[in-house]
Amino acid sequence: MENFISVEDVSDLKNLLVRAKAIKANPFENLALGKNKTMVLLFFNPSLRTRLSTQKAGLNLGMNVIPMNLAEGWGLEFEDGTVMNLDKAEHVKEAATVISQYADIIGIRTFAGLKDRRLDYADQVIKQFVKYATVPIVNLESAVLHPLQSFTDLFTIESFKKKERPKVVLTWAPHPKSLPQAVANSFLEWMQKTDYEMVVTHPQGYELSTEFTSGSTIEYDQQKAFANADFIYAKNWSSYEKYGKILSTNSNWMVTEEKMSLTNDAYFMHCLPVRRNVVVADAVMEDKKSLVIEQAGNRAVTAQVVLEKLLFDEVV
Ligand code: CP
């Protein structure tokens, strides 16, 4: 694997899942592999899980890990041919190449701006780093995709599913802030690689790009969608069509115990962070069928698989 930007970078998904199971059972088996290797993690946006789990994954492989916040005070230019006489201090051409002198792998978190769909969906920041860095790039959530989260979600479903072809429902849920589509897009992209029965439910106007919903059933009635589901995955996203807009904050879309009772005793999933009693009721979060903590724990496992594959494919 050269980079980890989307599921398309993965040549053997089954093997990735096998490695995740092995690493979960024995996270320190390859502690010597990362000796004298360094990972730099660049955060243009905040993170709790991605930052700590990727750092832990690197440490479990014996790597040195250097996280850096770029949200404030370090403006990078990404356009070609710009006259850089405004606020941008450095071009990505130099920054990516220089960081490659210090790092064997670079992780990047860069959220969507949610103002200009064309710009966001070009995923310019991550693509420019791929172009100019001379070491592998890991997507720690870009404007469009969050593959480390989605790999984790797939691994978690595979670990808990009770039938070969579970019914998995991605449900939109309300949120007071305008959020990117990246988690939902990426989840669907990874689900497209399975033969699960995939249903997406959301209010009218929250349709995701058909690139990601292809192969899924769209059901505008949330209660119908929940019927006989084996996994409920809740997530808010802002409108793709009316780009970045909040079209509804209807609390009727919150995931509740009553709605979970329509399912086939489904597991509840969310990538976190989550707004309790807005996205999901306390009772669902704290129910024994809630997998949210398991998912968060698995983030370190799947990040370790990805780092192994990027750096040591010939060994593992
Ligand atoms: N799920 C996730 O990516 O969490 P963070 O934003 O805390 O990294």
Side-chain angles (χ1 to χ4, degrees), residues 1-13 145 147 186 188-190 192-193 211-212:
M1 194 157 58
E2 285 180 30
N3 298 291
F4 186 71
I5 308 303
S6 84
V7 73
E8 299 308 329
D9 291 305
V10 177
S11 58
D12 187 346
L13 189 49
L145 297 171
S186 197
L188 292 174
E189 191 182 59
W190 284 68
Q192 284 171 347
K193 301 291 177 191
E211 178 191 347
F212 301 109

Coordinates of all heavy atoms in Angstrom, one line a residue, residues 1-13 145 147 186 188-190 192-193 211-212:
M1 N 0.9 -1.2 0.0 CA 0.0 0.0 0.0 C 0.9 1.2 0.0 O 1.8 1.4 0.8 CB -0.9 0.0 1.3 CG -2.0 0.9 1.2 SD -3.4 0.5 2.3 CE -2.6 0.4 3.9
E2 N 0.6 2.2 -0.9 CA 1.5 3.4 -1.1 C 1.0 4.5 -0.1 O 1.8 5.2 0.4 CB 1.5 3.9 -2.5 CG 2.3 3.0 -3.4 CD 2.3 3.5 -4.8 OE1 2.2 4.7 -5.0 OE2 2.4 2.6 -5.7
N3 N -0.3 4.7 -0.1 CA -0.9 5.7 0.8 C -2.2 5.1 1.3 O -2.6 4.1 0.8 CB -1.3 7.0 0.0 CG 0.0 7.6 -0.6 OD1 0.8 8.2 0.1 ND2 0.1 7.6 -2.0
F4 N -2.8 5.8 2.3 CA -4.1 5.3 2.8 C -5.0 6.5 2.8 O -5.2 7.3 3.8 CB -4.0 4.8 4.2 CG -5.2 4.1 4.7 CD1 -5.7 2.9 4.2 CD2 -6.0 4.7 5.7 CE1 -6.9 2.4 4.7 CE2 -7.2 4.2 6.2 CZ -7.6 3.0 5.7
I5 N -5.6 6.8 1.6 CA -6.5 7.9 1.4 C -8.0 7.5 1.4 O -8.9 8.2 1.9 CB -6.2 8.6 0.1 CG1 -4.7 9.0 0.0 CG2 -7.0 9.9 -0.1 CD1 -4.1 9.8 1.2
S6 N -8.2 6.3 0.8 CA -9.6 5.8 0.7 C -9.5 4.3 0.6 O -8.4 3.7 0.5 CB -10.3 6.3 -0.6 OG -9.9 5.5 -1.7
V7 N -10.7 3.6 0.6 CA -10.7 2.1 0.5 C -10.0 1.7 -0.8 O -9.6 0.5 -0.9 CB -12.2 1.6 0.6 CG1 -13.0 1.9 -0.6 CG2 -12.2 0.2 1.0
E8 N -10.0 2.5 -1.8 CA -9.4 2.1 -3.1 C -7.9 1.9 -3.0 O -7.3 1.3 -3.8 CB -9.7 3.1 -4.2 CG -11.2 3.3 -4.5 CD -11.9 2.0 -4.8 OE1 -11.3 1.1 -5.3 OE2 -13.1 2.0 -4.4
D9 N -7.3 2.3 -1.9 CA -5.8 2.1 -1.7 C -5.6 0.7 -1.1 O -4.4 0.2 -1.0 CB -5.2 3.1 -0.7 CG -5.2 4.5 -1.3 OD1 -4.6 4.6 -2.4 OD2 -5.7 5.4 -0.7
V10 N -6.7 0.0 -0.7 CA -6.5 -1.3 -0.1 C -6.7 -2.4 -1.2 O -7.7 -2.5 -1.9 CB -7.6 -1.5 1.0 CG1 -7.6 -2.9 1.6 CG2 -7.5 -0.5 2.0
S11 N -5.7 -3.3 -1.3 CA -5.8 -4.3 -2.4 C -6.5 -5.6 -1.8 O -7.1 -6.3 -2.6 CB -4.4 -4.6 -3.0 OG -3.6 -5.0 -1.9
D12 N -6.3 -5.8 -0.5 CA -6.8 -7.1 0.0 C -7.5 -6.8 1.4 O -6.9 -6.8 2.4 CB -5.6 -8.1 0.2 CG -6.1 -9.4 0.6 OD1 -7.3 -9.6 1.0 OD2 -5.3 -10.4 0.6
L13 N -8.8 -6.4 1.3 CA -9.5 -6.0 2.5 C -9.6 -7.1 3.5 O -9.6 -6.9 4.7 CB -10.9 -5.5 2.0 CG -11.8 -4.8 3.1 CD1 -11.1 -3.8 3.8 CD2 -13.0 -4.3 2.4
L145 N -13.5 12.1 3.0 CA -13.5 10.8 3.5 C -12.8 10.7 4.9 O -12.0 11.5 5.2 CB -12.7 9.9 2.5 CG -13.3 9.7 1.1 CD1 -12.3 9.1 0.2 CD2 -14.6 9.0 1.1
P147 N -11.3 7.3 6.2 CA -11.1 5.9 6.0 C -10.6 5.1 7.2 O -11.0 4.0 7.4 CB -10.0 5.8 4.9 CG -9.3 7.1 4.9 CD -10.3 8.1 5.3
S186 N -17.6 7.9 3.6 CA -16.6 6.9 3.8 C -17.2 5.6 4.2 O -16.8 4.5 3.8 CB -15.5 7.5 4.8 OG -14.3 6.8 4.7
L188 N -20.1 4.5 3.7 CA -20.8 3.9 2.6 C -19.8 3.3 1.6 O -20.0 2.2 1.0 CB -21.8 4.8 1.9 CG -23.0 5.2 2.8 CD1 -23.8 6.3 2.1 CD2 -23.8 4.0 3.0
E189 N -18.7 4.0 1.4 CA -17.7 3.5 0.4 C -17.1 2.2 0.9 O -16.9 1.3 0.1 CB -16.6 4.6 0.3 CG -15.6 4.3 -0.8 CD -14.5 5.3 -0.9 OE1 -13.7 5.5 0.1 OE2 -14.4 6.0 -1.9
W190 N -16.9 2.0 2.2 CA -16.4 0.8 2.7 C -17.4 -0.3 2.7 O -17.2 -1.5 2.4 CB -15.8 0.9 4.1 CG -14.4 1.6 4.0 CD1 -14.1 2.9 3.7 CD2 -13.1 1.0 4.3 NE1 -12.8 3.1 3.7 CE2 -12.2 2.0 4.1 CE3 -12.7 -0.3 4.8 CZ2 -10.8 1.7 4.3 CZ3 -11.4 -0.5 5.0 CH2 -10.4 0.5 4.7
Q192 N -19.7 -0.6 0.5 CA -19.8 -1.1 -0.9 C -18.9 -2.3 -1.2 O -19.2 -3.0 -2.1 CB -19.5 0.1 -1.9 CG -20.6 1.1 -2.0 CD -20.2 2.4 -2.8 OE1 -19.0 2.6 -3.0 NE2 -21.1 3.2 -3.2
K193 N -17.9 -2.5 -0.4 CA -17.0 -3.6 -0.6 C -17.5 -4.9 0.1 O -16.8 -5.9 0.1 CB -15.6 -3.2 0.0 CG -15.0 -2.0 -0.6 CD -14.6 -2.3 -2.1 CE -14.0 -1.0 -2.7 NZ -13.9 -1.1 -4.2
E211 N -22.3 8.8 -5.8 CA -21.0 8.0 -5.8 C -20.9 7.1 -4.6 O -20.4 6.0 -4.7 CB -19.9 9.0 -5.9 CG -18.5 8.4 -5.8 CD -17.4 9.5 -5.6 OE1 -17.7 10.7 -5.7 OE2 -16.3 9.1 -5.3
F212 N -21.5 7.6 -3.5 CA -21.3 6.8 -2.2 C -22.6 6.0 -1.9 O -22.5 5.0 -1.2 CB -21.0 7.8 -1.1 CG -19.7 8.5 -1.3 CD1 -19.8 9.9 -1.6 CD2 -18.5 7.9 -1.3 CE1 -18.6 10.6 -1.8 CE2 -17.3 8.6 -1.5 CZ -17.4 9.9 -1.8

